[in-house]
Amino acid sequence: MLILQAAPEIVMEAAETTEPTSMNLWTMARYGGPIMIVLALMLAFGVYLFIERMITLKQASTEDKSFMNRIKDYIYDGKIESAIKLCREVNTPSSRMIEKGISRLGRPMNDVLVAIENVGNLEVAQLEKGMVIMASISGGAPMIGFLGTVTGMVQTFYNMSINNSGMIQLSDLSSGMYQAMVTTIGGLIVGILAYFAYNYMVSRVDSVVRNLESKTMEFMDILNEPTK
């Protein structure tokens, strides 16, 4: 029968010689083992991806409010080249869609709309680039943390099994238990942050997509509006 006990003289000596230390995130991470390195890399890549996507989405949603009015004036005046030049200068997802529509002027309206929608699908795909990775981080990080928990418990039981003294010291349990708990915390932190970042990115993409749809409808209205 295994008995958990500690010699009184050892406990007293430890109390006299060991000063209390505070636990912080860095100290916790050190106890997490190799799993924490994987989680740290996932966190770093997730932060990079989030910042890069936010910059891209901000650029995609920034647009001159007079853009469509200028396009309308150019089309009504027959200045097709000037309209295309303006679209290229603005260089946003909506302007690239409008440019494709302008290049199809003279064809049936359905062909113009299909050309715009095809460009729009490509633009949306570019906006959503990397979001699958962010979703994978949000779901995978807690799983990896749980893997660290299992390996930590395995380490704990292994230390117990190789102890031939008949007594289990706290040191036999602490390293594995630390790893088990710390990796769980680390995985949850990374997963929660990635989850909220992913949902925020989705909302921003949806906002840009709605703007693209409104610009498409406005452009088609310009083409269908009778000239004065």
Side-chain angles (χ1 to χ4, degrees):
M1 180 177 180
L2 298 178
I3 303 174
L4 276 172
Q5 65 179 23
E9 59 274 10
I10 297 178
V11 175
M12 292 297 295
E13 182 179 354
E16 293 175 358
T17 59
T18 304
E19 296 181 359
T21 58
S22 60
M23 177 70 71
N24 53 43
L25 290 178
W26 171 246
T27 305
M28 292 176 61
R30 288 170 54 195
Y31 284 111
I35 296 294
M36 293 301 293
I37 298 177
V38 178
L39 292 174
L41 292 175
M42 295 176 68
L43 176 61
F45 187 74
V47 171
Y48 164 78
L49 183 61
F50 178 75
I51 294 175
E52 188 271 335
R53 284 294 89 192
M54 287 300 99
I55 293 174
T56 300
L57 292 170
K58 181 176 177 59
Q59 293 174 346
S61 59
T62 301
E63 192 171 286
D64 186 0
K65 295 183 179 180
S66 64
F67 172 73
M68 292 305 298
N69 290 330
R70 295 169 66 185
I71 290 294
K72 179 179 179 179
D73 293 337
Y74 283 139
I75 291 177
Y76 284 176
D77 294 340
K79 300 178 180 180
I80 304 302
E81 292 298 328
S82 297
I84 293 176
K85 181 180 178 181
L86 175 61
C87 291
R88 292 174 179 174
E89 290 175 351
V90 174
N91 195 29
T92 60
S94 59
S95 69
R96 289 189 285 271
M97 291 172 57
I98 300 302
E99 179 186 353
K100 178 61 69 173
I102 293 174
S103 67
R104 294 295 188 270
L105 290 179
R107 298 187 182 184
M109 297 297 293
N110 187 59
D111 291 349
V112 176
L113 180 59
V114 170
I116 294 175
E117 289 177 346
N118 289 337
V119 175
N121 291 333
L122 295 176
E123 294 293 339
V124 172
Q126 287 296 320
L127 294 175
E128 294 178 342
K129 183 179 179 180
M131 294 185 64
V132 173
I133 298 177
M134 184 66 78
S136 299
I137 292 175
S138 68
M143 300 287 289
I144 293 176
F146 181 68
L147 174 62
T149 301
V150 175
T151 56
M153 296 302 297
V154 170
Q155 182 65 40
T156 298
F157 285 111
Y158 175 76
N159 292 339
M160 293 170 60
S161 67
I162 64 176
N163 191 330
N164 297 321
S165 64
M167 295 181 296
I168 298 178
Q169 304 296 327
L170 292 178
S171 59
D172 296 332
L173 307 177
S174 61
S175 60
M177 294 298 293
Y178 265 128
Q179 179 178 335
M181 296 298 100
V182 169
T183 53
T184 301
I185 294 173
L188 288 174
I189 290 175
V190 175
I192 291 171
L193 292 176
Y195 176 76
F196 284 112
Y198 171 78
N199 284 324
Y200 182 70
M201 289 163 60
V202 168
S203 67
R204 290 294 302 273
V205 170
D206 289 342
S207 177
V208 175
V209 169
R210 287 193 297 270
N211 181 62
L212 296 180
E213 292 174 348
S214 66
K215 288 295 186 294
T216 300
M217 296 175 60
E218 188 174 354
F219 178 72
M220 297 305 296
D221 288 341
I222 290 174
L223 299 184
N224 289 316
E225 184 177 341
T227 58
K228 296 181 180 179

